[in-house]
């Protein structure tokens, strides 16, 4: 049987010993949660004999009570005070001439924008140094000397310098030994480190005069004025410190004095495995604490008591979310009763981001859940929306042109739920942005399209300064909260219930969660606006965004619940001194359990260790004690290990698991979490040709109705189901604007360029001189390409130069165009007939009806008596068809397309003759200008032959006129089209998975493949 919970045994001990006199004691705990459970255990003991409850505090509350005259400032306010102190110190150094020695007299002080990053780190270092009573002057003097030594190579000879540089490469400080001193760069660098000591003194003097402080400095003040502090305590107060372990130096001094005065006693929990392990540092540390402060005798003082769980399981989950979705299984394995409301089970989340998924994954049968963790504000929908918006504004502010907005970021922002729900025009804007095919969208055009929509104007109107951004954020928050009459008076921060008019049209409301998140964010913005600092008004937009993000990251939104009923969902620190029967640790992988505590600091590792500052990692004994204490009375312990994730720590098991398994010999059962889904596996998908589909297909058989294109027929051969989605239902893949030129746009510009070049030459005989003249003109082709680029992307002609990236793409197109012209020059003389001209044709199906086609032919010319029907291909294309049955394969789609073009011309020209009175239809040859692939025009210009090789009677493929294969091709088309217009045959999913690789419908068909 597991031991009685530590807090329960302490409550029982003092209730039995003191009875009603327990009210004269003051109990001090490591956390609010442990205080709450102690009160619960005490109330159960006193259920039959009512007593007055004793005073109960957390250790942090006790520290704050010892200096009630000082107010703890929040981090943001401290940052502004620190910057003011920094300006004072630099000004004083300049006045005394020290700045002249270490950076130049009159040197301009950094702006707050430049200071904010370092300021946060400095505040953190000050707080840590105060908690550990480090001598600030000695530390920062050592730090300055350390930096000077680390950057000083003046003792090296020139030969030694050259030798080091030849191995390590260029190191600025290894250059001329006098150059740095002459330039003053090194001294300015060192002056910053020399400033930190005086800055600490000036900063604390400044805030103390205003009766402000920060938590770390409060600890130092208590240590420096111990006797005065203790004398201010209420007479007759007797303290009982329960369950502490990780004691800071000021706490140690306070406890020593209280113990010496005979007004304190201590209950240390020794029934913890690592404390019983004499090889672990925790054993020696707790023994020292007991030696210094004594130990109240009780069950918790038994160093031989069993303190490991009865059963331990390690369960490997497929993903971070899978471990959460598997909670019903985990609770069942831990034998957690749904009918038991007593707090017997804890789910511990080292990763607080899993809070909402965890809460939603606990089965509804568990009616009571208590969440002690606050949900991080920076992970809420409103915070993510505003972060995305501020990133967009920062991006725009860095550009010289603020009249346009990046389309990709616009689409992401407009797709946010909180915007789309309250902006009906959002979907139309998204369509308009995608339709423009421009990476930057005009701001004016965006605003003019949404005149009646206030939210769009709030988000996308110009914001000239940081202070304006704060006002705008407040307006956005208030608009979202009040747009549907959800929150009538956020301006006064009074959240009241509103009685809605029953006759009013029902509107979609924000969820209670959304309203709570908006309320907390709005409070934060008002807090920042209310700070009495002149720098708020002058902050750069990116700095203010960073500052706001820092503030948001410190805010958690508390959840309300009964802490003494049902399943307990908590963080690691909340487990201190708590003992429940079932402990489930999610994300039990190394780096998460225990969490890595390395933080940004200006104090190097060696100095931190030398001055006794914490260095985190495996040296954090406090983390180890908290974990092993939490499991010491558990019946069931379950670890869930998630796999590696790109954004988080890897999937290696926590070292605590290995410690239990290999050092303490605990039998650990290892399992894999298997989640089953009720969703049926995808079967083959088919769509019947119902009445609506038949009417649609019938229009292709009607003169003047719809027409099929070569590309749509190719789609049908590749996958009939895709043809159904695209050609029948009109579904298309949405193309988001991107800064990169898409392959289809690249091909469009090339096609239009070649058409423009040959159109200028006219339908005439093309000579070598004509093409040489175009190739020799450095600007002609380039100007045509740039004009076509502007035309495609609807850019104003000549108003603004193209961007550098656009010019690079134009140069790439020019390379292709020049390759084509160079190849054509070797074919001269030839006759250019046409390009990009539209043609129509009909094909008969077996019942005698005809199907109407229409398409544009890239180019038609006459070379050495052959009339070539040319198709330009910038991608992969085959020029050889081995068998006619292979024409259905997607690899041969370019050949099918050129044969269709030949059929178009053959039907259009009929028996007509050319200028030499020769029949045109008999001399049509399909040709493909394959440009990029191996063996293509650009890689094998001399040997490249664009004529398509078609199957011949002898089995060998060779170039043939269309008239020779027309009968076979017509039979092929009849077979395919008869199948397409067979109303009894449904549109079926292709069996060729390769055809799904780039299909936009692959995911919905259950064939989502990785694109190579």
């Amino acid at each position: 049987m597991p031991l009685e919970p530590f807090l329960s045994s302490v409550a029982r001990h003092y209730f039995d010993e003191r009875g009603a006199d327990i009210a004269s004691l003051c109990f001090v705990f490591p956390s609010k949660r442990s205080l709450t459970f102690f009160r619960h255990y005490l109330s159960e003991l006193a259920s039959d004999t009512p007593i007055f409850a004793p005073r109960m505090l957390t250790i942090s509350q006790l520290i704050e009570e010892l200096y009630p005259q000082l107010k703890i400032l929040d981090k943001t306010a401290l940052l502004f005070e620190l910057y003011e102190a920094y300006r004072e110190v630099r000004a004083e150094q300049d006045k005394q001439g020290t700045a002249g020695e270490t950076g130049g007299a009159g040197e301009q002080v950094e702006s707050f924008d430049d200071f904010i990053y370092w300021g946060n780190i400095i505040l953190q270092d000050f707080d840590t140094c105060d908690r550990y009573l480090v001598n600030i002057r000695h530390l920062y003097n050592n730090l300055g000397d350390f930096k000077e030594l680390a950057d000083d190579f003046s003792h090296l000879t020139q030969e030694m310098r050259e030798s080091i540089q030849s191995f390590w490469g260029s190191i600025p400080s290894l250059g001329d030994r006098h150059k740095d001193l002459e330039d003053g760069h090194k001294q300015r660098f060192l002056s910053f480190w020399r400033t930190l000591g005086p800055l600490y003194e000036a900063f604390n003097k400044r805030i103390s005069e205003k009766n402000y402080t920060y938590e770390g400095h409060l600890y130092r003040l208590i240590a420096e004025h111990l006797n005065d502090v203790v004398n201010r305590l209420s007479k007759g107060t007797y303290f009982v410190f329960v369950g502490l372990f990780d004691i800071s130096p000021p706490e140690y001094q306070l406890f020593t004095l209280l113990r010496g005065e005979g007004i304190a006693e201590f209950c240390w929990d020794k029934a913890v495995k690592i404390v019983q392990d004499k090889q672990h540092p925790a054993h020696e540390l707790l023994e020292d604490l007991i030696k210094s402060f004594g130990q109240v005798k009780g069950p918790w003082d038994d160093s031989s008591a069993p303190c490991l769980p009865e059963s331990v399981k390690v369960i490997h989950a497929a993903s971070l979310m899978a471990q959460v979705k598997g909670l019903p299984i985990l609770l069942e394995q831990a034998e957690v009763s749904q009918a038991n409301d007593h707090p017997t089970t804890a789910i511990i989340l080292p990763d607080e981001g899993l809070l909402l998924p965890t809460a939603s994954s606990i089965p509804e049968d568990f009616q009571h859940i208590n969440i002690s963790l606050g949900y991080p504000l920076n992970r809420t929908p409103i915070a993510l929306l505003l972060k995305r918006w501020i990133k967009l504004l920062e991006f725009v502010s860095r550009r010289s042109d603020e009249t346009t907005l990046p389309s990709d970021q616009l689409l992401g922002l407009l797709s946010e739920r909180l915007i789309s729900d309250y902006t009906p025009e959002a979907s139309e804007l998204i369509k308009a942005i995608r339709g423009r095919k421009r990476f930057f969208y005009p701001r004016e055009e965006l605003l003019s399209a949404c005149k009646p929509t206030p939210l769009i104007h709030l988000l996308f109107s110009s914001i000239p300064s940081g202070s304006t951004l704060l006002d705008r954020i407040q307006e956005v928050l208030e608009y979202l909260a009040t747009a549907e009459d959800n929150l009538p008076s956020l301006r006064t921060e009074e959240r009241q219930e509103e009685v809605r008019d029953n006759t009013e049209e029902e509107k979609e409301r924000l969820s209670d969660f959304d309203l709570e998140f908006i309320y907390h964010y709005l409070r934060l913005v008002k807090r920042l606006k209310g700070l009495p600092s002149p720098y708020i008004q002058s902050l750069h937009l990116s700095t203010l965004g960073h500052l706001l993000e820092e503030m948001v990251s410190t805010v958690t939104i508390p959840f309300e619940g009964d802490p003494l009923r049902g399943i307990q969902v908590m963080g690691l620190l909340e487990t201190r001194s708590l003992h429940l029967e079932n402990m489930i640790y999610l994300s039990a992988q190394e780096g998460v359990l225990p969490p890595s505590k390395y933080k940004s600091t200006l104090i190097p590792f060696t100095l931190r260790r030398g001055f006794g500052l914490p260095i985190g990692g495996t040296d954090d004994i406090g983390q180890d004690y908290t974990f092993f204490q939490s499991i010491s009375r558990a019946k069931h312990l379950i670890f869930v290990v998630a796999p590696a994730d790109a954004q988080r720590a890897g999937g290696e098991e926590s070292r605590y698991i290995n410690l239990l398994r290999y050092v303490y010999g605990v039998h650990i059962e290892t399992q894999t979490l298997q989640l089953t889904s009720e969703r049926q596996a995808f079967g083959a998908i088919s769509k019947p040709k119902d009445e609506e589909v038949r009417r649609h297909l019938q229009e292709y058989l009607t003169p003047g109705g719809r027409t099929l294109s070569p590309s749509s027929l190719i789609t049908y051969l590749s996958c009939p189901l895709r043809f159904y989605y695209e050609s029948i239902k009109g579904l298309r893949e949405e193309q988001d604007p991107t800064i990169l030129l898409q392959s289809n746009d690249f091909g469009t510009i090339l096609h239009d360029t070649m058409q423009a070049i040959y159109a200028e030459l006219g339908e005439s005989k093309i000579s070598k001189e004509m093409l040489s003249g175009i190739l020799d003109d450095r600007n002609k082709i380039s100007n045509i390409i740039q004009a076509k680029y502007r035309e495609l992307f609807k850019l104003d002609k000549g108003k603004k130069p193209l961007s550098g990236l656009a010019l690079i793409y134009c140069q790439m197109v020019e390379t292709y165009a020049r390759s084509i012209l160079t190849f054509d020059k070797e074919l001269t003389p030839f006759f250019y007939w046409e390009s990009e001209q539209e043609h129509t044709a009909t094909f008969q199906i077996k019942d005698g009806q005809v199907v109407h086609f229409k398409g544009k032919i890239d180019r038609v010319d006459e070379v050495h008596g052959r009339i070539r029907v040319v198709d330009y291909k910038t991608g992969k294309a085959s020029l050889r068809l081995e068998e006619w049955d292979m024409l259905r394969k997607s690899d041969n789609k370019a050949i099918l397309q050129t044969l269709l073009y030949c059929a178009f011309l053959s039907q259009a020209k009929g028996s007509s003759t050319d200028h030499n009175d020769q029949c045109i239809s008999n001399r049509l040859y399909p040709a493909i200008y394959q440009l990029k692939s191996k063996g293509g025009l650009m890689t094998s210009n001399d040997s490249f032959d664009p004529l398509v090789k078609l199957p011949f009677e002898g089995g060998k493929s060779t170039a043939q006129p269309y008239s020779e294969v027309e009968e076979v091709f017509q039979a092929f088309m009849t077979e395919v089209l008869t199948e397409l217009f067979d109303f009894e045959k449904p549109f079926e999913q292709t069996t060729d998975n390769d055809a799904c690789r780039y299909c936009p419908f692959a995911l919905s068909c259950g064939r989502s493949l990785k694109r190579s």
Side-chain angles (χ1 to χ4, degrees):
M1 287 292 293
L3 294 173
E4 182 182 14
F6 169 63
L7 294 174
S8 175
S9 61
V10 172
R12 185 181 306 278
H13 170 83
Y14 280 95
F15 181 78
D16 292 342
E17 184 180 90
R18 295 284 189 128
D21 191 44
I22 197 174
S24 63
L25 303 178
C26 179
F27 290 88
V28 182
F29 302 91
S31 67
K32 289 183 179 179
R33 178 57 67 95
S34 57
L35 184 155
T36 302
F37 269 74
F38 178 82
R39 181 187 291 119
H40 166 66
Y41 293 133
L42 190 59
S43 66
E44 285 186 333
L45 293 170
S47 59
D48 297 329
T49 309
I51 60 173
F52 286 103
R55 191 157 184 248
M56 288 172 271
L57 299 171
T58 64
I59 183 64
S60 59
Q61 288 173 337
L62 174 63
I63 296 298
E64 290 182 26
E65 282 194 2
L66 295 177
Y67 250 98
Q69 67 270 32
L70 295 180
K71 177 184 177 182
I72 294 179
L73 272 184
D74 63 74
K75 187 177 179 180
T76 305
L78 287 170
L79 191 60
F80 286 110
E81 294 290 347
L82 181 68
Y83 181 64
E84 288 290 356
Y86 180 72
R87 289 172 57 87
E88 292 173 5
V89 170
R90 293 301 297 267
E92 186 64 26
Q93 287 180 339
D94 186 45
K95 187 187 300 182
Q96 295 177 0
T98 55
E101 298 170 7
T102 60
E107 181 185 344
Q108 185 175 1
V109 177
E110 293 88 345
S111 67
F112 185 78
D113 296 81
D114 297 327
F115 178 79
I116 185 172
Y117 172 75
W118 300 106
N120 281 312
I121 299 176
I122 293 170
L123 281 176
Q124 185 174 285
D125 283 345
F126 283 177
D127 185 85
T128 305
C129 290
D130 283 335
R131 287 178 184 272
Y132 287 83
L133 301 181
V134 172
N135 187 309
I136 293 293
R137 186 176 295 276
H138 288 174
L139 172 65
Y140 285 116
N141 283 342
N142 274 271
L143 180 57
D145 294 340
F146 180 89
K147 292 296 180 182
E148 187 169 10
L149 285 172
D151 201 44
D152 183 16
F153 299 96
S154 59
H155 60 283
L156 299 178
T157 65
Q158 187 62 32
E159 183 180 356
M160 293 168 68
R161 290 164 181 263
E162 292 173 357
S163 177
I164 292 173
Q165 282 188 319
S166 67
F167 183 80
W168 291 105
S170 177
I171 300 176
S173 297
L174 280 173
D176 187 348
R177 68 181 70 184
H178 301 296
K179 189 175 188 303
D180 280 342
L181 293 176
E182 292 171 359
D183 292 347
H185 294 305
K186 180 176 178 179
Q187 293 305 318
R188 282 194 291 275
F189 168 75
L190 292 175
S191 72
F192 172 76
W193 304 102
R194 302 293 187 194
T195 300
L196 295 177
L199 175 60
Y200 172 85
E201 296 175 359
F203 170 61
N204 277 288
K205 178 183 177 183
R206 179 180 178 85
I207 60 175
S208 296
E209 289 174 350
K210 301 178 180 181
N211 290 327
Y212 292 141
T213 189
Y214 52 94
E215 196 168 345
H217 193 242
L218 195 59
Y219 276 78
R220 184 185 287 273
L221 289 174
I222 289 171
E224 292 175 349
H225 306 90
L226 263 180
N227 291 323
D228 295 338
V229 167
V230 173
N231 289 335
R232 287 200 295 267
L233 292 173
S234 301
K235 299 300 181 183
T237 302
Y238 192 88
F239 293 97
V240 180
F241 292 91
V242 182
L244 303 181
F245 179 80
D246 198 8
I247 308 299
S248 67
E251 291 170 341
Y252 194 96
Q253 294 183 17
L254 175 63
F255 296 166
T256 301
L257 184 57
L258 294 176
R259 179 67 173 168
E261 294 288 332
I263 58 173
E265 61 187 37
F266 298 81
C267 298
W268 311 97
D269 188 5
K270 290 182 66 176
V272 178
K273 191 60 181 179
I274 59 172
V275 172
Q276 297 177 0
D277 180 4
K278 295 183 179 181
Q279 302 300 317
H280 198 284
H283 171 79
E284 183 179 353
L285 178 57
L286 192 59
E287 288 298 321
D288 288 342
L289 291 173
I290 293 174
K291 183 178 179 181
S292 299
F293 305 113
Q295 165 79 302
V296 176
K297 297 301 179 181
W300 55 86
D301 192 39
D302 185 359
S303 59
S304 61
C307 51
L308 288 174
E310 293 181 7
S311 73
V312 180
K313 293 181 180 179
V314 174
I315 300 177
H316 291 268
S319 67
L320 290 168
M321 291 308 298
Q323 64 178 338
V324 173
K325 297 302 180 185
L327 275 174
I329 300 174
L330 301 180
L331 293 171
E332 182 180 344
Q333 288 197 3
E335 301 176 3
V336 180
S337 172
Q338 299 170 357
N340 186 3
D341 280 348
H342 293 290
T344 60
T345 302
I347 299 174
I348 296 93
L349 304 180
D351 181 0
E352 296 179 357
L354 294 175
L355 178 56
L356 286 186
T358 299
S360 63
S361 297
I362 297 175
E364 294 181 0
D365 295 335
F366 293 93
Q367 296 182 1
H368 298 285
I369 303 173
N370 180 60
I371 302 174
S372 64
L373 279 169
Y375 190 71
L377 181 59
N378 62 352
R379 300 197 186 196
T380 61
I382 186 61
L384 296 174
L385 165 64
L386 294 178
K387 182 179 179 179
R388 175 171 276 183
W389 175 46
I390 292 172
K391 291 293 182 187
L392 182 148
L393 298 177
E394 290 177 10
F395 180 87
V396 173
S397 68
R398 291 193 296 267
R399 299 182 67 236
S400 57
D401 179 15
E402 295 191 14
T403 62
T404 57
L405 303 171
S407 297
D408 59 339
Q409 295 188 46
L410 272 178
L411 290 172
L413 194 58
L414 291 170
S415 300
E416 289 281 348
R417 176 180 59 83
L418 291 176
I419 292 181
S420 59
D421 283 355
Y422 291 95
T423 308
E425 294 84 357
S427 59
E428 293 301 320
L429 283 175
I430 290 173
K431 290 181 181 178
I433 293 169
R434 286 195 171 114
R436 284 291 293 267
K437 284 191 173 184
R438 290 177 59 178
F439 186 68
F440 291 100
Y441 197 83
R443 187 197 299 262
E444 183 178 345
E445 192 171 319
L446 184 73
L447 296 175
S448 62
C450 293
K451 288 183 179 179
T453 309
L455 184 58
I456 295 296
H457 283 264
L458 287 173
L459 291 172
F460 301 119
S461 295
S462 177
I463 298 177
S465 66
S467 59
T468 309
L469 175 62
L470 282 180
D471 294 334
R472 190 69 60 82
I473 292 175
Q474 181 173 343
E475 291 179 62
V476 169
L477 292 170
E478 291 178 344
Y479 176 83
L480 286 173
T482 59
E484 300 292 350
D485 297 327
N486 285 298
L487 203 56
S489 185
L490 269 176
R491 294 181 181 276
T492 59
E493 298 184 14
E494 296 286 334
R495 294 178 294 166
Q496 304 170 346
E497 293 291 335
E498 180 183 18
V499 180
R500 296 173 61 89
D501 186 351
N502 291 331
T503 61
E504 183 182 355
E505 181 182 356
E506 186 65 26
K507 299 177 182 178
E508 185 177 358
R509 295 169 60 89
L510 285 171
S511 70
D512 291 339
F513 275 127
D514 286 327
L515 286 175
E516 189 75 16
F517 298 152
I518 290 173
Y519 168 72
H520 281 276
Y521 206 113
L522 185 55
R523 285 183 58 188
L524 202 67
V525 171
K526 290 185 175 182
R527 166 63 182 150
L528 186 55
K529 288 179 66 178
L531 289 175
S533 173
Y535 306 113
I536 290 288
Q537 305 301 320
S538 58
L539 282 179
H540 188 272
L541 191 145
S542 60
T543 306
L544 187 56
H546 174 75
L547 183 62
L548 193 58
E549 191 173 335
E550 284 282 329
M551 293 179 67
V552 170
S553 67
T554 64
V555 177
T556 56
I557 302 169
F559 288 86
E560 295 180 0
D562 188 343
L564 304 171
R565 299 181 70 186
I567 295 175
Q568 308 290 306
V569 181
M570 61 181 72
L572 291 174
L573 291 179
E574 279 80 21
T575 64
R576 287 176 292 182
S577 297
L578 295 187
H579 297 100
L580 302 178
E581 287 184 19
N582 307 302
M583 305 292 287
I584 302 174
Y585 277 86
L586 299 185
S587 297
Q589 54 265 21
E590 187 61 31
V592 182
L593 178 69
S596 299
K597 281 195 171 182
Y598 295 106
K599 296 181 179 178
S600 299
T601 178
L602 298 179
I603 305 171
F605 177 86
T606 50
L607 287 182
R608 292 184 72 89
R609 184 177 286 278
F611 278 84
L613 293 171
I615 55 177
T618 56
D619 288 351
D620 195 335
I621 306 174
Q623 287 186 148
D624 297 350
Y625 180 85
T626 297
F627 169 76
F628 278 94
Q629 186 194 34
S630 73
I631 68 171
S632 62
R633 277 91 163 169
K635 183 178 180 181
H636 299 288
L637 172 62
I638 298 177
F639 296 101
V640 186
V641 181
D645 184 272
Q647 302 298 323
R648 305 170 193 261
E652 180 185 354
E653 291 181 355
S654 167
R655 62 175 177 267
Y656 292 156
I657 299 175
N658 292 324
L659 197 59
L660 289 169
R661 179 186 286 130
Y662 299 117
V663 177
Y664 300 134
V666 177
H667 172 70
I668 298 179
E669 182 182 351
T670 302
Q671 299 178 354
T672 300
L673 182 63
Q674 299 287 348
L675 298 179
T676 58
S677 174
E678 296 180 358
R679 190 178 73 171
Q680 297 295 320
F682 277 102
I685 302 175
S686 66
K687 297 294 182 180
K689 294 173 181 174
D690 56 21
E691 193 62 34
E692 180 185 353
V693 174
R694 294 180 183 186
R695 284 198 302 269
H696 190 101
L697 290 176
Q698 193 66 41
E699 294 184 30
Y700 295 115
L701 305 174
T702 305
R706 295 177 183 270
T707 56
L708 283 174
S709 65
S711 60
S712 62
L713 181 65
I714 290 170
T715 298
Y716 175 78
L717 290 172
S718 174
C719 177
L721 185 63
R722 181 174 180 178
F723 174 87
Y724 167 80
Y725 286 139
E726 292 185 347
S727 297
I728 305 298
K729 291 299 183 181
L731 303 177
R732 298 287 175 179
E733 182 179 18
E734 293 181 338
Q735 295 289 341
D736 290 342
T738 171
I739 196 169
L740 302 176
L741 187 66
Q742 298 298 299
S743 57
N744 58 328
D745 292 331
F746 185 94
T748 299
I749 296 171
L750 178 63
H751 281 64
D752 292 347
T753 298
M754 297 310 302
Q755 192 274 336
I757 291 173
Y758 276 110
E760 188 174 316
L761 295 177
E763 298 181 10
S764 60
K765 188 174 184 179
I766 307 298
S767 66
K768 182 176 292 188
E769 291 73 23
M770 295 168 70
L771 295 182
S772 294
I774 294 174
L775 288 168
D776 293 341
D777 190 333
R778 290 175 175 261
N779 298 322
K780 188 175 188 63
I781 301 176
S782 176
N783 290 339
I784 293 174
I785 292 172
Q786 291 187 32
K788 295 302 177 183
Y789 187 96
R790 291 179 181 277
E791 183 180 317
L792 177 65
F793 292 105
K794 302 177 182 178
L795 301 175
D796 296 330
K797 295 182 179 180
K799 281 192 176 182
K800 287 169 48 178
L802 293 178
S803 67
L805 187 59
L807 291 174
I808 291 174
Y809 285 128
C810 288
Q811 290 174 4
M812 293 172 62
V813 175
E814 184 175 351
T815 302
Y816 280 68
R818 286 184 173 276
S819 296
I820 294 173
L821 292 172
T822 301
F823 179 78
D824 286 350
K825 188 170 73 169
E826 300 304 316
L827 302 178
T828 55
F830 65 87
F831 289 93
Y832 168 78
W833 283 29
E834 64 178 54
S835 63
E836 303 299 329
Q837 294 296 310
E838 197 170 78
H839 292 269
T840 60
T842 58
F843 293 91
Q844 194 172 50
I845 57 178
K846 288 182 179 179
D847 63 0
Q849 298 186 83
V850 293
V851 183
H852 296 267
F853 275 77
K854 182 168 64 177
K856 281 186 178 181
I857 302 176
D858 290 353
R859 167 176 162 181
V860 181
D861 58 27
E862 182 182 348
V863 180
H864 307 316
R866 293 172 171 173
I867 301 173
R868 303 186 312 168
V869 182
V870 179
D871 191 30
Y872 298 121
K873 289 297 178 186
T874 56
K876 184 179 179 181
S878 173
L879 277 76
R880 182 180 296 276
L881 183 67
E882 300 295 343
E883 299 176 5
W884 284 104
D885 288 343
M886 296 180 66
L887 202 55
R888 287 177 174 265
K889 297 290 185 182
S890 59
D891 292 344
N892 298 314
K893 61 184 179 182
I895 297 177
L896 173 59
Q897 192 168 354
T898 52
L899 285 171
L900 282 169
Y901 290 157
C902 288
F904 287 3
L905 273 182
S906 178
Q907 292 186 30
K909 301 298 182 181
S911 58
S912 59
T913 58
D914 61 9
H915 52 89
N916 292 323
D917 291 330
Q918 293 182 333
C919 181
I920 294 175
S921 297
N922 295 335
R923 294 188 296 119
L924 294 174
Y925 283 78
I928 299 174
Y929 270 33
Q930 179 194 19
L931 298 168
K932 190 178 179 181
S933 301
K934 183 179 179 181
L937 185 150
M938 296 182 68
T939 57
S940 306
N941 193 295
D942 295 336
S943 59
F944 178 70
D945 181 5
L947 295 180
V948 175
K949 312 304 184 293
L950 299 172
F952 196 57
E953 290 180 357
K956 183 180 179 181
S957 298
T958 183
Q960 303 176 62
Y962 174 73
S963 57
E964 294 291 331
V965 300
E966 183 176 11
E967 184 177 345
V968 180
F969 181 66
Q970 289 284 356
F972 169 82
M973 289 296 295
T974 298
E975 179 185 353
V976 171
L977 293 175
T978 299
E979 174 188 297
L980 171 59
F981 288 89
D982 181 356
F983 292 161
E984 301 303 319
K985 184 177 179 60
F987 292 107
E988 295 180 333
Q989 186 180 20
T990 182
T991 57
D992 182 8
N993 284 343
D994 287 340
C996 304
R997 193 169 298 277
Y998 293 96
C999 177
F1001 307 105
L1003 185 61
S1004 62
C1005 292
R1007 290 186 179 173
S1008 180
L1009 304 176
K1010 291 184 178 179
R1011 298 181 179 183
S1012 57

